[in-house]
């Protein structure tokens, strides 16, 4: 993709984020755009960087680390891990990402804490990924019934007790639907869950809501997203 098209796509997405924020009585600077570059080569990230993008999202640990190495000269990139992290890869994540959006179990959180300790890293900044839609194919703490909520609150308490894992909010992936309005109840549910956690655990930071992708980010911003994760709408279709 040439730089002119890239810039135009970026501007268009930023305008749509700003318009959605305005509809909800919010300002555009309350929403951080994370450009999701999975499957795209390092040069694409370099081009995004030249357009002023600093927040880059990847969904696979190995692929992300390769790109980080290739782009080591871009010191001000903030790398986001947005995909599922296997426990055995936790040690590769520690110290290498500004934010891990996808902590989906207490066991992973414990492993991150332990690996951080071993590596002399004092904190791992994370979001808790929640499955609010009940789709079996989705990662995340399942939170669709009142019983789920009880179990989740216990898990949250365990995670908040880990000294090196710093929680900043929640993340979700809405189901793929033809009409983005169908995603709205899931985003609203994530926001309500966040508000509940903020009441139950006021000692923690619950500010961030990572929700919204190319198909549904405007609805997500209307429902309170502070981080939107966007690939296709900026970069076009992915290489398989
Ligand atoms: C790929 C991916 C995105 C971006 O998806 P698009 O539909 O291309 O915007 C966002 N979040 C996660 C977790 C992803 O894996």
């Amino acid at each position: 993709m040439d730089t002119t098209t890239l810039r135009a796509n970026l501007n268009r997405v930023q305008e749509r984020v700003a318009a959605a924020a305005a509809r909800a009585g919010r300002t555009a600077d309350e929403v951080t755009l994370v450009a999701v570059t999975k499957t795209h080569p390092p040069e694409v990230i370099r081009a995004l960087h030249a357009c002023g993008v600093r927040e880059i999202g990847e969904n696979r640990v190995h692929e992300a680390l390769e790109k980080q190495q290739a782009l080591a000269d871009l010191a001000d990139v903030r790398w986001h891990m947005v995909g599922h992290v296997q426990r055995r890869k936790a040690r590769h994540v520690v110290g290498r990402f500004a934010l891990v959006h996808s902590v989906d179990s207490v066991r992973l959180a414990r492993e991150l804490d332990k690996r951080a300790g071993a590596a002399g890293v004092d904190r791992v900044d994370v979001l808790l990924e929640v499955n609010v839609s009940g789709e079996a194919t989705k990662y995340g703490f399942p939170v669709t019934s009142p019983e789920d909520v009880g179990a989740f609150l216990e898990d949250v308490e365990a995670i908040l007790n880990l000294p090196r894992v710093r929680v900043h909010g929640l993340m979700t992936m809405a189901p793929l639907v033809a009409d983005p309005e169908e995603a709205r109840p899931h985003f609203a549910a994530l926001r309500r869950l966040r508000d509940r956690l903020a009441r139950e655990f006021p000692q923690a930071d619950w500010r961030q809501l990572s929700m919204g992708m190319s198909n549904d980010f405007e609805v997500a911003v209307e429902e309170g997203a502070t981080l939107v994760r966007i690939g296709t709408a900026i970069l076009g279709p992915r290489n398989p």
Side-chain angles (χ1 to χ4, degrees):
M1 183 177 291
D2 61 274
T3 314
T4 311
T5 312
L6 190 61
R7 257 181 220 283
N9 289 354
L10 258 176
N11 287 341
R12 182 79 194 111
V13 167
Q14 276 156 351
E15 282 167 11
R16 288 169 63 194
V17 166
R23 285 195 293 279
R26 311 177 64 209
T27 56
D29 63 8
E30 293 172 42
V31 185
T32 298
L33 172 65
V34 178
V36 178
T37 50
K38 64 192 187 204
T39 78
H40 294 283
E43 301 79 73
V44 168
I45 299 174
R46 207 174 274 288
L48 283 167
H49 187 269
C51 294
V53 176
R54 295 294 178 269
E55 316 285 333
I56 297 292
E58 286 284 332
N59 77 328
R60 294 212 171 120
V61 176
H62 183 70
E63 182 180 339
L65 298 190
E66 279 187 352
K67 290 178 196 175
Q68 288 180 355
Q69 266 194 335
L71 299 167
D73 57 308
L74 305 182
D76 57 353
V77 172
R78 287 170 45 84
W79 295 90
H80 296 251
M81 176 44 61
V82 301
H84 176 63
V85 177
Q86 292 170 287
R87 257 188 323 142
R88 63 187 170 82
K89 301 222 173 121
R91 67 196 162 94
H92 299 300
V93 167
V94 162
R96 296 205 171 98
F97 292 88
L99 188 63
V100 181
H101 293 226
S102 43
V103 168
D104 54 8
S105 70
V106 177
R107 294 171 64 185
L108 174 60
R110 287 204 179 107
E111 188 69 15
L112 289 169
D113 184 63
K114 180 176 136 192
R115 293 296 181 173
V121 170
D122 64 345
R123 57 193 282 185
V124 185
D125 295 293
V126 308
L127 306 178
L128 305 181
E129 181 172 359
V130 180
N131 177 353
V132 284
S133 69
E135 275 192 312
T137 54
K138 292 269 188 291
Y139 289 109
F141 293 92
V143 182
T144 49
S145 71
E147 302 83 71
D148 286 346
V149 176
F152 182 54
L153 292 178
E154 285 179 27
D155 287 346
V156 169
E157 185 157 22
I159 292 171
L160 293 181
N161 281 326
L162 298 169
R164 299 173 199 87
V165 172
R166 210 71 63 87
V167 176
H168 297 283
L170 302 179
M171 180 273 230
T172 200
M173 288 181 77
L176 260 189
V177 287
D179 177 1
E181 278 302 324
E182 290 177 46
R184 188 181 297 276
H186 304 298
F187 296 144
L190 194 75
R191 189 191 62 228
R192 284 195 304 271
L193 182 62
R194 185 278 303 274
D195 293 346
R196 166 130 191 223
L197 291 166
R199 286 194 303 273
E200 305 259 355
F201 304 103
Q203 74 277 20
D205 169 22
W206 296 104
R207 267 174 295 186
Q208 304 298 333
L209 282 177
S210 171
M211 54 188 197
M213 311 183 6
S214 290
N215 275 330
D216 54 20
F217 69 89
E218 287 155 301
V219 174
V221 168
E222 288 171 13
E223 293 299 329
T226 62
L227 291 153
V228 290
R229 311 177 308 267
I230 300 183
T232 318
I234 299 170
L235 297 170
R238 279 183 281 276
N239 324 311

